[in-house]
Amino acid sequence: MTVLDHRAVTHPTVRWLGVPHLLAGTAEGPVGRDRHRELHGPLTLPTRAELRRDVARARLRGRGGAAFPVYRKLDSLPDHGAHAVVVNGSESEPASHKDRVLMRLAPHLVVDGALGVAHALGAARVVVAVHDVEAGHAMARAVAGRPDAAHVEVVAAEGGFVAGEARALLNGLSGVAPLPDGRRTLPTTRGLDARPTFVSNAETFAQLGLLVTDGLDRMLATGTAEEPGTTLVTLLGSVDHPGVVEVPHGIALADLLGHERTPVLVGGYHGSWVAGAGDAVLDRDALATAGTPWGAGVLARLGPDTCALGEVQRVVAWLAARSAGQCGPCVFGLPAVADAVADVVRGGGPTAVTRVRTLVGLVDGRGACAHPDGTSRFVGSALRTLSGEVEVHAAHGGCGRPVLGQLPLDGGAR
Amino acid sequence: MSSRLQVDWTRCDAHGLCARLLPDQVTLDPWGFPVLDGAPLPDARVRDARRAAQACPALALRLSRT
């Protein structure tokens, strides 16, 4: 049982490298309505053509994990626009905290983005779906204090990993089970209330908020030509400053993680393991090409004092238990993968590794959503990156280090 | 135009009929769920594939034309 004590409300600590855009003014705590206007200027509601032009020139991509270009999402909506605009603030990736922190500290930026898109698309409904309680309160307070946002609905999103997937979220909001559909229909065709919907992640809307207040030129002045502007990162594990940090695109990952060669996870629990930050830079295309997609912006480093394979096993067991229970290969395959990884940790060596690889190959791509695919990527890359650890475990039945639990599993804390 | 088999994983209950009816195209994983090779169906097999899709007790097997 969880006992809720009466704690003083504390605000998350955030940092930035360079000049903060999204997190401007948050050093003093949450940015209220008047301060928000001082910092970013008035909201200019764009036409669809204006919005399309600016997001294309800003090369803005979705910040929920798939990095889909926003102008293409706009283009795939019907000529008459969208029925609804949905801010996906569920942030069900447990390693990620950037969206809830953003909504707690700069909720008006998210509201501005949602209002801008809703105006451009003529959307009748604007829904902000949030799972984190504090972030939900912050969004509700922001909306309640704005006459221009009277029609914006702030709703509690279901918990659970898969429930945060865009189509699952839309099903939940439309009054049916919060599960992904068996047929892969896009929300731009069939979304909220089974009608065309523009849905994106909370940070995406905050970036859109910058475009409709600060304007395009300010975004173009930061980052790289390929990817202007900044992005939010959740830093975890054995790093100097764990937490959420805003950085310009193009910085070296080593600037965030340090240069030590201990295992690094890029992208989150559907992401990939690499031996260290190396010379990689924050460039979504380059990272995807290198087989380490940026995902939801999570970077984690394991310290030298924890059992790396044990940390991996802990997350895999957790992921296996997060199946929505719809698709057989996920329901049966992921627990089998988790068991096989446990064998590797106990020193099963090459035989156990082969079994993991076979099982991972069996679940990859065989589900209604990307949960089995992402879990496969996490496990496959871990075994490649930690091959030395696998040998040590095989030789000695373990590595002698405890599993410290450096990767969070409940989405709470911090 | 080529035809491919697809499974709606939210419907499939591992009856295994598809693997019986289309042994060259469908095998079963350790839990009884179909493994498809993903390749376009040979023309000569399209009729059987359509029948297999119609026979699926869970209506999970589909034939898609691209």
Side-chain angles (χ1 to χ4, degrees):
Chain A
M1 191 177 78
T2 310
V3 178
L4 296 172
D5 58 335
H6 192 74
R7 279 171 298 191
V9 175
T10 54
H11 298 301
T13 332
V14 286
R15 293 186 313 130
W16 39 83
L17 302 183
V19 179
H21 289 199
L22 297 171
L23 299 177
T26 60
E28 294 86 43
V31 177
R33 185 185 61 177
D34 296 342
R35 179 83 181 112
H36 168 73
R37 281 287 161 254
E38 282 171 30
L39 286 161
H40 297 283
L43 165 61
T44 309
L45 294 171
T47 64
R48 182 169 179 174
E50 287 164 348
L51 182 70
R52 201 263 181 212
R53 182 197 63 207
D54 283 1
V55 297
R57 288 185 60 196
R59 296 175 179 246
L60 184 62
R61 313 233 207 142
R63 300 295 166 85
F68 192 71
V70 175
Y71 80 89
R72 284 179 55 196
K73 192 173 279 187
L74 289 172
D75 286 352
S76 61
L77 284 160
D79 289 343
H80 58 78
H83 163 66
V85 166
V86 175
V87 178
N88 185 353
S90 54
E91 193 167 49
S92 46
E93 159 74 63
S96 177
H97 284 80
K98 53 126 179 151
D99 287 328
R100 71 198 71 181
V101 165
L102 175 68
M103 289 184 284
R104 282 171 68 176
L105 294 179
H108 288 282
L109 213 42
V110 179
V111 175
D112 280 353
L115 292 178
V117 177
H119 182 266
L121 296 172
R125 291 188 69 186
V126 183
V127 180
V128 184
V130 190
H131 179 57
D132 180 73
V133 175
E134 285 286 330
H137 287 162
M139 290 306 302
R141 271 195 303 272
V143 164
R146 290 178 61 156
D148 63 343
H151 61 299
V152 175
E153 307 159 57
V154 179
V155 301
E158 301 265 351
F161 199 169
V162 170
E165 196 254 0
R167 291 168 306 142
L169 176 79
L170 292 170
N171 279 339
L173 296 177
S174 303
V176 295
L179 297 168
D181 289 327
R183 289 167 182 262
R184 297 197 172 193
T185 318
L186 290 172
T188 46
T189 306
R190 190 185 160 83
L192 190 65
D193 307 323
R195 296 174 63 186
T197 298
F198 181 97
V199 55
S200 197
N201 148 278
E203 186 194 335
T204 318
F205 278 99
Q207 296 285 355
L208 289 160
L210 291 176
L211 284 177
V212 295
T213 54
D214 287 334
L216 175 66
D217 289 344
R218 177 139 199 259
M219 193 174 286
L220 293 180
T222 325
T224 64
E226 291 74 28
E227 258 190 305
T230 65
T231 197
L232 295 175
V233 184
T234 309
L235 273 176
L236 293 169
S238 180
V239 291
D240 288 342
H241 302 281
V244 173
V245 54
E246 181 176 1
V247 300
H249 290 114
I251 64 153
L253 298 195
D255 288 347
L256 293 165
L257 290 163
H259 293 274
E260 302 91 329
R261 273 183 75 82
T262 64
V264 164
L265 176 65
V266 180
Y269 293 167
H270 280 171
S272 338
W273 288 92
V274 287
D279 53 7
V281 296
L282 205 177
D283 173 330
R284 285 184 176 77
D285 282 335
L287 288 169
T289 305
T292 51
W294 180 245
V298 172
L299 285 178
R301 171 190 286 292
L302 292 179
D305 45 349
T306 189
C307 169
L309 280 177
E311 295 280 352
V312 168
Q313 183 209 341
R314 225 174 125 254
V315 175
V316 175
W318 186 89
L319 288 169
R322 295 279 117 28
S323 170
Q326 288 200 108
C327 308
C330 183
V331 170
F332 297 99
L334 294 191
V337 169
D339 283 349
V341 171
D343 274 347
V344 174
V345 176
R346 285 191 293 266
T351 317
V353 169
T354 303
R355 180 160 163 69
V356 175
R357 291 212 178 286
T358 306
L359 289 165
V360 160
L362 268 181
V363 297
D364 193 11
R366 294 176 73 219
C369 76
H371 185 47
D373 316 23
T375 305
S376 297
R377 175 160 54 219
F378 181 91
V379 174
S381 62
L383 291 186
R384 269 195 308 280
T385 302
L386 302 175
S387 57
E389 296 284 331
V390 171
E391 286 173 27
V392 170
H393 276 246
H396 308 287
C399 63
R401 293 169 300 183
V403 181
L404 297 178
Q406 291 185 339
L407 301 174
L409 293 183
D410 54 5
R414 189 166 292 132
Chain B
M1 199 163 76
S2 65
S3 299
R4 283 171 214 266
L5 287 168
Q6 283 182 340
V7 177
D8 180 339
W9 294 109
T10 65
R11 289 175 175 259
C12 179
D13 282 328
H15 291 92
L17 208 61
C18 49
R20 290 286 193 93
L21 295 172
L22 299 167
D24 295 337
Q25 277 73 40
V26 182
T27 54
L28 296 180
D29 71 14
W31 310 285
F33 292 89
V35 179
L36 311 177
D37 60 9
L41 284 165
D43 287 344
R45 301 296 288 159
V46 171
R47 240 168 80 114
D48 288 345
R50 191 173 300 122
R51 284 183 181 153
Q54 283 163 356
C56 174
L59 303 179
L61 191 67
R62 296 196 183 118
L63 200 59
S64 78
R65 281 179 210 89
T66 45

